Amino acid sequence: MSFKQLTPLFSVSGQITEADVAAAAREGFRAIVDCRPDGEGAGQPSFANVSSWAAKHGLEAIHTPVTPSDIRDADVEKFARAIESAGGPVLGYCKTGKRAATLWALSQAGKLGADAVLSAAKGAGVDLSALAPRFASSSGEEKIYDVVIVGGGSGGVAAASSLLKRRPSLSIAIVEPADTHYYQPGFTLVGAGVFEPEMTRRPMASVMPDRANWIKQAVATFAPESNELTLADGTVLRYRALIVSPGIKLDWEAIPGLVETLGKNGVTSNYRYDLAPRTHELAQGLKRGRALFTQPPMPIKCAGAPQKAMYLSCDTWRRNGALDQVEVEFHNAGAVLFGVPAYVPALMQYVERYGIKLCFESKLVAVDGASRVATFEQKDTDGAVTRVEREFDMLHAVPPQRAPDFIAKSALAGETGFVSVAPDTLQHTRYPNVFALGDAIGTTNAKTAAAARKQAPVVAINTLSMLDGKKPHVGYDGYGSCPLTVERGKIVLAEFGYGGKLLPSFPKWLIDGTKPSRAAWFLKDRMLPPIYWRCMLKGREWLCDHHLLEMKAEPTAK
Ligand code: FAD
């Protein structure tokens, strides 16, 4: 029998014999998928027979039996997994080959587009035009994606992979304008000269899940009532479910004089990929003088990052003998060193060891780079605000942060401008088919990649529930993590959830998060980058499960 090739990786045929299996092996197929229920026709070899022939000829055999009038999503998913796991060309067969082609078309439409799969089948002589209504639509503009994801950062890619791992046949579009994906938690170690900058970035194309459609554009506006959004070029995308994860806006312009002087005049910031190496250069070069480290008002991403930069710079000065000659000030717009009291004693030990002057309720409001003067608004105990100028030799500035403009002015925003979601289910408080995660949500957890790691499976599971007409049924406990790099080789590993509840991932004997430890440094330096690239972004939900709450009570959003 001749096989009909739909793509180089997939062909179909009618009922096969052992000779056909031998021919398939010679032609380089890796696996055979039997799409017929056993006993469907007289003289039909059973799957067990075909399986034994396949084994004899070195092929894998998979059974995905379906009847033509009743091909369900679960069958399509099983089939999608089967051809994906084969790792090479696959031969699907049934009585005529049409059912196998149908399963293939349904499993690939989300990835290749309905038009492409229909024409591939037609090219092989299999007419699947009757399937058209089952596809969301056959034309690009009219297409309705199962899920559209806004943002291909930590949260967006992790959510897409978590969804596809559970349901490979979903049609997913990820809207993301950037060419590069950043592992921002690594910026702190770049700023200390521990990581090379290149370790913290990869081409966006390399992190996009194969089965998702990457739309390389920015989202401009949302119309959640009609399940649509509009891209910057005016294209309208339609969806059954929307997942929003565009991160947080770094508002550098909010501090007059800062943008012009960043990267010059002793001014740096670990909050920018290109400037993080400058932090290390400046710290190494400074032998005496004054170094200022600033922290804007909350919320910011990784609330510990401003002081991490400071401790690691102090450690550099300690190691090269300059610490006594460098006057270090921490200007924090907030009123405390760290929001969760359990970690403060360990941090205070380092503040004292490095001789850091703490200036609370002191907000950076202007920078004069040429004169090397930073201006702060400082609040005294009576609430009176005065402007104070401080000369500096080095300034590590962290910009104020807010919801991205296109979110803040959209119907998805809550009062703070961030996406309004239920803190547990991460479902939008007004639009049940909208979910959100990452830095863009208006919840009280620490805005960290670690939080997005825990949120991604919650969003994936609840989105699938919603698509199946059910309620969200898992919850997020507010977990976030902030590895406070107090010196090179030691970290105070803050891990906590809503309300500041401590949520350690490891037993105390291994890592006591309230104390500086080498094990926590090893975790950040060696373990977390591969966990990020190879697990979190690939749908391998390592270090997630025990923060997934089964919703027993009614979720807080419908
Ligand atoms: P991002 O990863 O920032 O991704 C947002 C994506 O949305 C971007 O790719 C962007 O291009 C895209 N986007 C923006 N606008 C649009 C639009 N209009 N349309 C479509 N797409 C859009 N976390 C930790 O867990 N541990 C740490 O130690 C840690 N340290 C940090 C240190 C620093 C210096 C910094 C800056 C961050 C740190 N973080 C840390 C925080 C962590 O990086 C973020 O919390 C995490 O990346 C948030 O993920 P996200 O998907 O919400 O946003």
Side-chain angles (χ1 to χ4, degrees), residues 32-384:
I32 289 175
V33 185
D34 174 2
C35 304
R36 301 185 79 182
D38 275 349
E40 189 183 53
Q44 171 194 347
S46 68
F47 174 67
N49 290 143
V50 176
S51 193
S52 67
W53 300 336
K56 197 166 131 192
H57 295 281
L59 296 178
E60 194 188 346
I62 302 147
H63 202 193
T64 313
V66 289
T67 49
S69 58
D70 188 22
I71 298 181
R72 297 170 185 216
D73 284 355
D75 303 320
V76 177
E77 271 153 39
K78 189 174 169 198
F79 183 86
R81 273 197 203 98
I83 58 171
E84 196 163 70
S85 66
V90 173
L91 174 66
Y93 79 89
C94 53
K95 189 175 175 197
T96 63
K98 189 166 178 178
R99 237 176 300 170
T102 302
L103 279 166
W104 174 84
L106 289 171
S107 73
Q108 302 301 304
K111 189 177 162 191
L112 306 175
D115 290 342
V117 294
L118 289 175
S119 68
K122 197 171 173 193
V126 186
D127 179 13
L128 295 182
S129 53
L131 269 187
R134 178 133 183 203
F135 295 130
S137 163
S138 59
S139 90
E141 267 201 356
E142 288 290 302
K143 183 175 178 69
I144 302 174
Y145 286 98
D146 290 327
V147 185
V148 170
I149 298 178
V150 182
S154 311
V157 172
S161 295
S162 285
L163 280 168
L164 287 166
K165 159 191 146 145
R166 292 178 169 82
R167 200 167 287 182
S169 61
L170 283 178
S171 61
I172 297 187
I174 304 181
V175 187
E176 166 59 65
D179 287 314
T180 306
H181 180 107
Y182 294 100
Y183 174 58
Q184 300 166 49
F187 291 2
T188 295
L189 294 187
V190 175
V194 178
F195 279 6
E196 289 301 321
E198 284 302 320
M199 293 164 71
T200 63
R201 71 170 183 183
R202 290 197 183 170
M204 189 60 77
S206 72
V207 301
M208 284 286 167
D210 288 345
R211 293 183 155 271
N213 266 357
W214 174 20
I215 298 178
K216 196 172 174 304
Q217 281 218 43
V219 170
T221 57
F222 296 94
E225 295 83 6
S226 49
N227 302 325
E228 288 173 351
L229 54 78
T230 306
L231 305 179
D233 73 350
T235 305
V236 173
L237 292 189
R238 301 178 68 200
Y239 57 80
R240 292 171 63 208
L242 176 68
I243 296 177
V244 185
S245 188
I248 196 166
K249 176 179 173 180
L250 299 179
D251 200 356
W252 302 98
E253 286 79 12
I255 299 183
L258 180 57
V259 174
E260 301 87 295
T261 195
L262 272 170
K264 295 182 289 201
N265 304 317
V267 183
T268 185
S269 180
N270 283 353
Y271 276 70
R272 246 175 56 180
Y273 170 83
D274 59 327
L275 292 178
R278 184 93 186 109
T279 305
H280 182 53
E281 284 163 25
L282 286 173
Q284 277 192 314
L286 188 68
K287 302 292 183 237
R288 64 172 53 79
R290 182 182 294 148
L292 307 179
F293 293 82
T294 74
Q295 179 171 313
M298 292 294 134
I300 63 170
K301 56 178 153 187
C302 196
Q307 54 189 299
K308 293 184 211 177
M310 174 173 69
Y311 299 135
L312 288 171
S313 299
C314 287
D315 191 47
T316 301
W317 295 318
R318 182 181 65 85
R319 283 165 191 267
N320 67 18
L323 188 58
D324 285 347
Q325 283 78 248
V326 180
E327 196 188 334
V328 183
E329 294 180 4
F330 185 46
H331 290 264
N332 181 354
V336 292
L337 186 57
F338 195 75
V340 182
Y343 304 104
V344 172
L347 299 177
M348 277 308 295
Q349 278 181 9
Y350 281 90
V351 166
E352 280 154 25
R353 179 192 294 185
Y354 295 135
I356 296 166
K357 183 179 174 201
L358 296 178
C359 308
F360 292 124
E361 303 203 272
S362 178
K363 187 170 76 169
L364 180 68
V365 291
V367 182
D368 180 342
S371 317
R372 298 198 176 213
V373 172
T375 306
F376 296 91
E377 279 182 1
Q378 293 186 344
K379 212 189 263 181
D380 67 19
T381 42
D382 301 327

